[in-house]
């Protein structure tokens, strides 16, 4: 996996880079501002980029705006936003165009190296990886539209876990049910949301985006 890291805190940028290299990934570039990020992505065409939302010079939303530009100009590059706090307006803006290959994690998740690298790999592969806190706040802030009304409470729970990027096996473990039961719930979600048969990965992304944007 080829990665570009955009983080203005040099110590954290170095830590992330070392962690990924030790696990066999290639860090193409590590940069400290949004303009350098755009340049690095255009030059290296990485599989995924890790982007701090708040970057110089104003430390507001420079990273987010660069991430949106990257998704538009380099759709083959996944974007994983990195933030100290949950900021739903930023997550909503990243998800607004319905793109796959996006993620949003809180910075303290890097302490769990396996969880962080797994999330990065999902985003690089065109999936989603959303921090549980992000999912909770986005779902809480969203309107419960008629589109989701047919879903049972359990199906919404499964869909929420799908939004975090969890596999069927991981969902089964979390809910303490069989994998077959989860597969039935997932199939019901696809059917009730009107998602026709296609690649399951694509349907999962579409279901998650619909859930978070309603």
């Amino acid at each position: 996996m080829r990665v570009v890291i955009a983080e203005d805190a040099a110590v954290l940028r170095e830590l992330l880079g070392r962690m990924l290299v030790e696990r066999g990934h290639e860090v193409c570039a590590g940069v400290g501002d949004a303009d350098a990020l755009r340049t690095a992505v255009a030059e290296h065409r990485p599989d995924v980029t890790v982007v701090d939302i708040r970057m110089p010079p104003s430390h507001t939303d420079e990273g987010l705006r660069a991430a949106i530009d990257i998704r538009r100009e380099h759709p083959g590059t996944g974007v994983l936003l990195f933030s100290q706090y949950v900021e739903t307006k930023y997550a909503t803006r990243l998800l607004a165009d319905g793109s796959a290959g996006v993620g949003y994690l809180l910075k303290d998740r890097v302490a769990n190296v396996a969880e962080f690298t797994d999330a990065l790999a999902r985003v690089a592969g065109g999936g989603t990886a959303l921090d549980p806190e992000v999912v909770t706040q986005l779902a809480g802030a969203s309107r419960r539209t008629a589109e989701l009304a047919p879903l049972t409470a359990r199906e919404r729970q499964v869909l929420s876990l799908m939004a975090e990027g969890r596999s069927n096996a991981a969902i089964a473990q979390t809910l303490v049910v069989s994998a077959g039961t989860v597969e039935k719930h997932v199939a019901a979600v696809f059917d009730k949301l009107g998602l026709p048969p296609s690649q399951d990965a694509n349907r999962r992304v579409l279901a998650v985006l619909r859930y978070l944007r309603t």
Side-chain angles (χ1 to χ4, degrees):
M1 186 165 57
R2 303 176 69 251
V3 186
V4 166
I5 300 170
E7 165 61 57
D8 65 307
V11 173
L12 180 55
R13 186 169 68 240
E14 180 67 22
L15 172 65
L16 289 171
R18 188 182 311 120
M19 180 180 72
L20 291 170
V21 169
E22 288 175 352
R23 280 154 186 79
H25 304 299
E26 178 186 353
V27 177
C28 305
V31 300
D33 63 73
D35 287 340
L37 168 61
R38 292 184 178 91
T39 299
V41 170
E43 177 181 351
H44 298 288
R45 301 298 177 95
D47 300 309
V48 63
T49 181
V50 180
V51 183
D52 185 9
I53 289 178
R54 298 177 180 272
M55 301 186 74
S58 71
H59 292 279
T60 54
D61 65 347
E62 282 89 350
L64 172 69
R65 286 188 279 116
I68 292 172
D69 289 344
I70 289 166
R71 292 300 297 148
R72 181 180 63 251
E73 297 168 10
H74 307 283
T77 296
V79 172
L80 179 64
L81 286 181
F82 219 33
S83 178
Q84 192 70 40
Y85 310 103
V86 176
E87 300 180 86
T88 55
K89 63 180 180 180
Y90 294 148
T92 301
R93 284 173 62 185
L94 184 66
L95 294 166
D97 65 354
S99 297
V102 296
Y104 187 141
L105 293 183
L106 296 181
K107 288 186 176 181
D108 59 7
R109 299 296 175 188
V110 75
N112 187 326
V113 177
E115 182 179 297
F116 174 74
T117 54
D118 179 63
L120 199 59
R122 288 201 305 272
V123 172
T128 58
L130 299 176
D131 194 283
E133 286 297 320
V134 174
V135 173
T136 297
Q137 292 199 28
L138 279 175
S142 66
R143 299 186 305 275
R144 300 292 86 188
T145 65
E147 186 175 29
L148 296 184
L151 300 184
T152 66
R154 178 63 99 181
E155 288 162 358
R156 291 192 188 195
Q157 190 176 19
V158 168
L159 186 50
S160 176
L161 292 170
M162 288 167 59
E164 295 175 18
R166 301 198 194 192
S167 65
N168 285 0
I171 293 172
Q173 185 175 19
T174 299
L175 300 181
V176 195
V177 297
S178 70
T181 297
V182 172
E183 289 174 5
K184 290 179 181 178
H185 286 314
V186 171
V189 168
F190 291 157
D191 181 61
K192 291 179 180 180
L193 293 183
L195 298 173
S198 64
Q199 293 184 17
D200 276 352
N202 291 338
R203 287 204 290 176
R204 289 178 86 88
V205 170
L206 291 173
V208 165
L209 292 175
R210 198 168 295 182
Y211 171 67
L212 294 175
R213 294 168 60 196
T214 53

